[in-house]
Amino acid sequence: MQRGVAQLEGARTRLQTILDSLSAGVIVFNKQHAIDTVNPGATRILRQPLGAFRGRPLEDVPGLADFAAAIWQRSELHRTSPEAGERDHWQDAFELLRPDPVGAGGAPESVNLLLRGATLPGGARLLVFDDITEVVSAQRSVAWAEVARRLAHEIKNPLTPIQLSAERIEHKIGPKVDDTSRAMLSRSVATIVAQVQAMKQLVDEFRDYARLPAAQLAPLDLNALVLEVLGLYAPAQEQGRLHASLADALPPIEGDATQLRQVIHNLVQNGLDAVAERGDGHVQVITEAAYGDAGELRTVRLKVADNGGGFNDKVLKRAFEPYVTTKSKGTGLGLAVVKKIADEHGARVRIVNRQSEPAEPGGAAGPVVGAQVSLSFSRFASAPPHRLTEQPAPARPDIPTPGPAAAAA
Ligand SMILES: Nc1ncnc2c1ncn2[C@@H]1O[C@H](COP(=O)(O)OP(=O)(O)O)[C@@H](O)[C@H]1O
Ligand SMILES: [Mg+2]
């Protein structure tokens, strides 16, 4: 009997450990719909101290009334009329609106959740959920690229005839009317032409984003590329605002030099923007290699870190979407392009805010001390890299310079 109890305790502890280490949120409700068990994942995703609400209904947790209602409705539906393929659990997406995280009364932040629910023996219910906001965001950027392609096509075609017709009207009619009318005609035509130009430029930016040519991968020395690009930021380096810290004997990767040059430009530019207001601002471009236990090469990383204000919460989730910008003159394309190029290279991009060390070991991390974007490459070159050929810097670092493939398309 005693052994049985001990075994049960052991199993319970193990289960708790598993629940604690899951990144997904797990909540178990008892038969009366009250919260019975929650894991730290649930607290983190919903950003509510759910542990304090044990024994109470989910509806009691501030901000989660709609979430709770949706769960019960879905769960009831599943119990009474399960859809095909939903025999033992249901699955649904839910968009949770959280009040403005900064508390400044701004727009609420939306979090996309994937929910799975099941009824446990004895009438208890299990809810497992994950934050899939980043996945949704990635899908959105694919959709954006498609929109861009179509828009460019549909809008650009009629623009040239519009402009030419306006100019022709001025040319033909102008000489036949009195001075006042002619002046008015000129002004109107100038407005049309200027607006048409603006529209063309907008569409071109869109198109450049969507048309980024496929990467031409070849053995590449990332360190050499970083040094080459940083050479174009001599003033920032002389002021001590920008420096490189490069790994010794960095293994060559499979990369497209033109595209990765663009990546470094975009990230350095963002870093410099982020520290522009700081006297002690600095941006660091880092390369490093990580090896596994058996000494095998795992990944080659390119990191750009700064000590600016960090990404704001809303941007952090959507930074890869085009036109997400907090700058008055920003295009919001820089990181969208970085993401596309990383995808072309099979590299993983991570955006994080750097936080200072916790005050006590195991405590909460300290305040944000800057931003960091890192690309992890996992395609390595077997042949030694070619020497890089000099290429002029793009005129607008945020806009991808179309390569030969783009020009031909
Ligand atoms: N290093 C950084 N520190 C803080 N915020 C950043 C950083 N890099 C990018 N961001 C945020 O991400 C947004 C999008 O960046 P990006 O796509 O390069 O477009 P843009 O620079 O034109 O705004 C920026 O407007 C800014 O809010
Ligand atoms: Mg930028």
Side-chain angles (χ1 to χ4, degrees), residues 105-342:
E109 171 193 32
S110 91
V111 185
N112 292 91
L113 300 179
L114 179 69
L115 313 175
R116 287 198 181 91
T119 305
L120 300 176
R125 310 213 189 185
L126 171 68
L127 179 73
V128 180
F129 52 98
D130 242 314
D131 181 349
I132 54 162
T133 313
E134 282 182 23
V135 178
V136 172
S137 161
Q139 284 169 352
R140 252 188 234 139
S141 36
V142 172
W144 264 109
E146 187 51 33
V147 169
R149 228 186 305 271
R150 291 200 192 167
L151 258 184
H153 187 76
E154 304 280 331
I155 296 184
K156 262 199 113 176
N157 284 347
L159 289 184
T160 306
I162 290 176
Q163 181 175 343
L164 291 179
S165 306
E167 284 165 352
R168 212 164 129 194
I169 291 174
E170 185 183 14
H171 190 70
K172 291 269 180 210
I173 313 282
K176 298 189 185 139
V177 295
D178 61 61
D179 284 355
T180 341
S181 304
R182 193 174 324 120
M184 201 230 20
L185 190 65
S186 276
R187 269 201 315 276
S188 304
V189 169
T191 306
I192 293 175
V193 171
Q195 296 297 326
V196 163
Q197 289 298 348
M199 223 147 129
K200 272 190 185 159
Q201 192 191 332
L202 181 75
V203 173
D204 278 345
E205 281 185 15
F206 246 134
R207 186 212 47 202
D208 287 345
Y209 167 73
R211 245 207 207 168
L212 201 63
Q216 307 285 326
L217 301 184
L220 179 89
D221 176 359
L222 207 50
N223 281 350
L225 193 72
V226 169
L227 288 177
E228 180 209 300
V229 174
L230 293 206
L232 300 165
Y233 294 86
Q237 289 202 75
E238 280 152 20
Q239 292 162 13
R241 299 177 80 77
L242 174 66
H243 65 271
S245 61
L246 306 178
D248 286 335
L250 190 73
I253 59 164
E254 283 287 323
D256 179 318
T258 308
Q259 292 195 351
L260 293 179
R261 222 175 248 129
Q262 186 75 54
V263 165
I264 301 169
H265 270 301
N266 291 5
L267 296 181
V268 167
Q269 194 58 61
N270 279 350
L272 291 174
D273 288 349
V275 301
E277 316 262 272
R278 291 183 66 117
D280 65 341
H282 65 86
V283 178
Q284 207 177 2
V285 183
I286 303 156
T287 59
E288 61 188 27
Y291 298 89
D293 290 338
E296 78 282 13
L297 180 58
R298 280 272 170 80
T299 180
V300 168
R301 242 177 246 127
L302 170 72
K303 292 193 204 165
V304 179
D306 62 62
N307 65 342
F311 287 88
N312 86 33
D313 263 7
K314 281 179 219 161
V315 172
L316 201 54
K317 292 228 170 63
R318 303 184 49 197
F320 295 133
E321 288 175 36
Y323 299 93
V324 169
T325 181
T326 54
K327 302 172 193 170
S328 58
K329 293 213 173 104
T331 62
L333 283 173
L335 290 173
V337 167
V338 168
K339 174 77 168 100
K340 269 193 102 171
I341 293 176

Side-chain angles (χ1 to χ4, degrees), residues 26-51:
V26 178
I27 307 179
V28 179
F29 298 97
N30 67 18
K31 221 159 109 186
Q32 286 76 38
H33 289 195
I35 299 173
D36 181 63
T37 307
V38 292
N39 76 337
T43 299
R44 186 180 51 80
I45 294 173
L46 299 176
R47 292 215 197 135
Q48 291 292 344
L50 293 172

